[in-house]
Amino acid sequence: MQTLRQFLSPAPSRGFRYRRLPSTSRIPSTARHNSSHARNLHHQTPFHSSAAEAPQQQQYPDPLPSTNPALSFPCLDHVETRSATLSRRAPGAGPEPSYTTGRTDTFHSTDPLLLDWGGILPSFAIAHESWGTLNADRSNAILLHTGLSASSHAASTAANEKPGWWERFIGPGRPLDTERFFIVCTNVVGGCYGSTGPGSVDPANGERYATRFPILTMEDMVRAQFRLLDSLGVRRLYASVGSSMGGMQSLAAGTLFPERVGRVASISGCARSHPYSIAMRHTQRQVLMMDPNWNRGFYYDGIPPHAGMKLAREIATVTYRSGPEWEQRFGRRRADASRPPALCPDFLIETYLDHAGEKWCLEYDPNSLLYVSKAMDLFDLGAEHREMIAGLRGKNQYKLDAYRQGETLETAEAADLCTLTLPETPYQETGDAEATLEEAAAADIGASDEPPADLVAGMRPLADTPTLVLGVASDILFPSWQQREIAETLRKAGNKKVMHVELGVEQSMFGHDTFLLDLENVGGALKRFLER
Amino acid sequence: MQTLRQFLSPAPSRGFRYRRLPSTSRIPSTARHNSSHARNLHHQTPFHSSAAEAPQQQQYPDPLPSTNPALSFPCLDHVETRSATLSRRAPGAGPEPSYTTGRTDTFHSTDPLLLDWGGILPSFAIAHESWGTLNADRSNAILLHTGLSASSHAASTAANEKPGWWERFIGPGRPLDTERFFIVCTNVVGGCYGSTGPGSVDPANGERYATRFPILTMEDMVRAQFRLLDSLGVRRLYASVGSSMGGMQSLAAGTLFPERVGRVASISGCARSHPYSIAMRHTQRQVLMMDPNWNRGFYYDGIPPHAGMKLAREIATVTYRSGPEWEQRFGRRRADASRPPALCPDFLIETYLDHAGEKWCLEYDPNSLLYVSKAMDLFDLGAEHREMIAGLRGKNQYKLDAYRQGETLETAEAADLCTLTLPETPYQETGDAEATLEEAAAADIGASDEPPADLVAGMRPLADTPTLVLGVASDILFPSWQQREIAETLRKAGNKKVMHVELGVEQSMFGHDTFLLDLENVGGALKRFLER
């Protein structure tokens, strides 16, 4: 044991003159560090262990011990190690990982695609996989839409035997019955698993699009998918089926092309994004964009923003699962109760999130996450929005015509379109609870059981399409009220063939992820819907 | 209009030989960039506008235009401008902002404080403010506990006329009636508004604690507060009152010192943190710790991690408010509908979050956020946890004794305590829904209406204390089931004086923030409770 007096006396000097510090008053700490030195410490222990690393004019003796030991940060060490590993990869190969999930078929369209918000894809590829056999009259095709980050690999194939993300849902006698149906699943445009996305090369300049990729919508992705269906000779789908983002797309397909879609199944989807889900995706995009390695999207030759991707996935994972399961599975258990608490992952729920982020941070292209997640925010089947987009498409049709004729826009005009700045007066919190409650009362929020008229009008194209709407009570990202909204809107629009299923907490505690896990309830409802 | 042919032909050369690029196939992009060049682009437009910035051996002509314009990122420009501004501040002053909120009283304790997890504060300060007058027998004192990031400035005082965070709740005839009560509010230990926290100087070495500050608990904060009460001669509180984290502390005060607390009011608090709230605080800590400026806590002489703080606050803000209010207030409105969508804030809900982060990012010490938020995670009034901590305190008492006698621990032992690493086998997702459902059924999750026996045992010290428990149905961070858990636990422990109030969505749509806003319902319930 050392005495306290020993602690307060000068430490063994390395030949420097020791400056006695006042022990209780605050001292201007610039007397001891400067900021560049402080920043170097990010990769060091917090002690000034090496005088050589300090600037010449500031040399210190060994420090006095602190009252308590410094915390360690193994979680940061781990991230830094990965950065170092990625930067050591062979320069020829580039550090950018390959996002392929295995062999797929690829459809190439050389006819340019005009996007809803005015962007143009001069050409594009759609990676796709299929199961079952297309019948002679091509009437048994089901288009399966994916969630945000999934590939076309929904189930194992001869070319890729790895289990897919809906492995148990596809096969003979399964909900997507391969003895009866021809099921095709695509990687969405904007994705990174073989379809054209921000990581693809822009034919105009031979460089990767990065954040020169145009803003996308669900409907743009669906239009690209229907080009693939055209190439397969599928005029009319038996059904459009999807979960999560795929649920949005399934509804979008039925709304855009009612005459080409026989049935629509939307599982844990929505008719329009609501503020909580936009907010949660916003935070994911922001943490990713704040990673210096993101480099405004131009990281393809550098270190990918794996730290930002890890964080984004951790936030996303919170929204994918829900309270009841976590209460039971993790509760308040710590990863190692024999250790003192730490600021790095410590509770079991934290190590679960950390692990989810670790597993994923090099599995998906960061720019694809930004564009596809933004497309989800923009989704809105309301009539006002649909009409606005229709108007915009009309206005921009000349771009497509010009492009097809070998002309293009002047850069100045195009650049002006995309310089969104924040409004000059940002949103102000009023703090006036009464006023807002009155506004809410006036707007009848939560009081009305009627679906919004704007949505009824916008979804009217689906009035004759048999539709399955499935929601999960424990889902916080696409909450069950959003599923009820779809079902009630369709009924109000005159649809007499709406099958609405809501799984209560006693049926599923898995929140939004239920669609990936619950073969019995989700698969069962889907099978009944497709076969009736 | 330029023709497409013009786009595909060489741009005006600056004397470099132009290399024609294949226009449709992917090219190894390392042929055109290298990673250090790519990283420089973070502060540039994505075009290679200046050949001088490219490495010597790689010089290119002006680039070909891309099909679509590059997106702009005003939100990142803004963050970079703030970094530059902070780094330009006078070196003497240091860029670290001062977190004071105005004049407070300060209590200094020179008797060391042993913390629950074994840390020691050799001495500490408690900033506090008070309203009303302590009566002759010192029986009318109310200790008011704050939320996570609040200062002691709950209401305006003669010394600081700025409105406080509970301005309308404190005053003559108000819920905390200054004609009747003496109300004292403190900044918590670990905070940054005048009480000792990570930004304070460790007397052992004259340096700021930073992440050498010891891990804290709610009970540690309460023990420090009771030292202040001792100094004021307040033996027994009329009541302990708090909301959010303050609700935890209010319960902790009553549990630690039942004989010294006359009544307990816990508003939107909990008896123990649950996984969703731990997860959301985890993501806030992680985004902050991932900001390079955080520098493992040693940023006091450099640029504070304002970008990480902004992100952390944005995530926190999602948990402070809730769906119904946002649906009504923001809906799907965009900040400027005349602009095309952007990856920077775009929807009104995004600009709201962005603004909340902007306002706060230099208002609170980042290390305080980490320590205080961690202390919230660690909160658990269950008997098993309380007994474990009691055992640990007994085991560590010798440290305090040694410290008081002028001795201290050997550094090696202390350091070993704090090197938590992740478990070797991280949590594995089983993907087996059926198995988990069976486990859940076996554990009777959600099925039991009985409060957990462990919690009933741990909260038994409160069996005779009149207690107000107030919850808000729209709160997702401290959900109303957690308030019911407190009330039912206390009743089960034999408490016959539990007043449980739950505000439905028709009374408040403001989620967790209701306690700051709702004078009528929250204030009204509190007033009735204190005066009955």
Side-chain angles (χ1 to χ4, degrees), chain B residues 229-277:
Chain B
L229 296 180
D230 291 343
S231 81
L232 296 172
V234 174
R235 171 66 203 155
R236 182 178 161 87
L237 289 170
Y238 181 82
S240 171
V241 173
S243 306
S244 188
M245 182 179 88
M248 296 174 165
Q249 291 182 343
S250 197
L251 292 169
T255 312
L256 272 182
F257 304 113
E259 73 291 348
R260 296 188 68 177
V261 179
R263 299 174 189 218
V264 163
S266 172
I267 298 162
S268 300
C270 67
R272 50 184 186 181
S273 293
H274 72 127
Y276 175 82
S277 62

Side-chain angles (χ1 to χ4, degrees), chain B residues 173-196:
Chain B
R174 298 282 180 173
L176 295 182
D177 188 349
T178 49
E179 294 186 336
R180 213 178 137 181
F181 301 117
F182 171 72
I183 300 115
V184 58
C185 182
T186 77
N187 180 225
V188 294
V189 164
C192 60
Y193 294 125
S195 295
T196 295

Side-chain angles (χ1 to χ4, degrees), chain A residues 463-476:
Chain A
D464 295 322
T465 312
T467 305
L468 167 67
V469 183
L470 189 146
V472 176
S474 57
D475 188 342
I476 59 172

Side-chain angles (χ1 to χ4, degrees), chain B residues 141-382:
Chain B
I142 290 179
L143 178 60
L144 174 60
H145 306 271
T146 71
L148 166 56
S149 57
S151 71
S152 58
H153 196 58
S156 51
T157 62
N160 180 359
E161 293 179 356
K162 213 176 116 185
W165 53 264
W166 239 21
E167 186 72 20
R168 299 179 303 155
F169 289 69
I170 301 173
R174 298 282 180 173
L176 295 182
D177 188 349
T178 49
E179 294 186 336
R180 213 178 137 181
F181 301 117
F182 171 72
I183 300 115
V184 58
C185 182
T186 77
N187 180 225
V188 294
V189 164
C192 60
Y193 294 125
S195 295
T196 295
S200 304
V201 170
D202 181 354
N205 62 1
E207 293 185 13
R208 290 183 194 247
Y209 283 105
T211 43
R212 293 170 301 212
F213 198 76
I215 291 284
L216 280 176
T217 65
M218 291 296 120
E219 285 83 353
D220 292 329
M221 297 171 183
V222 167
R223 280 189 198 94
Q225 289 168 324
F226 274 71
R227 292 259 187 103
L228 163 66
L229 296 180
D230 291 343
S231 81
L232 296 172
V234 174
R235 171 66 203 155
R236 182 178 161 87
L237 289 170
Y238 181 82
S240 171
V241 173
S243 306
S244 188
M245 182 179 88
M248 296 174 165
Q249 291 182 343
S250 197
L251 292 169
T255 312
L256 272 182
F257 304 113
E259 73 291 348
R260 296 188 68 177
V261 179
R263 299 174 189 218
V264 163
S266 172
I267 298 162
S268 300
C270 67
R272 50 184 186 181
S273 293
H274 72 127
Y276 175 82
S277 62
I278 295 175
M280 292 301 279
R281 285 190 289 265
H282 162 85
T283 59
Q284 293 167 50
R285 288 192 296 269
Q286 291 294 310
V287 297
L288 171 52
M289 289 163 62
M290 214 65 93
D291 184 334
N293 284 324
W294 181 62
N295 194 30
R296 302 199 177 203
F298 291 81
Y299 52 79
Y300 291 106
D301 305 311
I303 299 171
H306 59 93
M309 284 295 275
K310 177 179 170 178
L311 292 172
R313 187 63 168 193
E314 294 194 42
I315 297 170
T317 302
V318 177
T319 68
Y320 294 158
R321 291 296 175 96
S322 70
E325 183 214 355
W326 283 3
E327 292 295 329
Q328 183 260 318
R329 185 171 266 192
F330 305 116
R332 298 188 38 75
R333 286 197 293 283
R334 293 179 58 227
D336 182 350
S338 70
R339 299 277 194 172
L343 296 178
C344 274
D346 172 356
F347 283 97
L348 206 54
I349 179 63
E350 293 185 282
T351 64
Y352 166 78
L353 294 176
D354 188 85
H355 184 58
E358 283 288 322
K359 273 200 306 186
W360 197 70
C361 68
L362 295 175
E363 289 293 310
Y364 194 70
D365 183 32
N367 284 338
S368 285
L369 177 62
L370 295 172
Y371 278 89
V372 178
S373 125
K374 182 74 196 179
M376 292 174 75
D377 289 3
L378 292 168
F379 186 58
D380 183 357
L381 289 176

Side-chain angles (χ1 to χ4, degrees), chain A residues 12-35:
Chain A
S13 148
R14 284 181 184 160
F16 311 130
R17 190 164 147 269
Y18 179 74
R19 266 184 304 157
R20 183 63 179 266
L21 295 162
S23 64
T24 50
S25 65
R26 290 185 182 233
I27 51 164
S29 47
T30 40
R32 290 179 59 84
H33 309 271
N34 70 8
S35 69

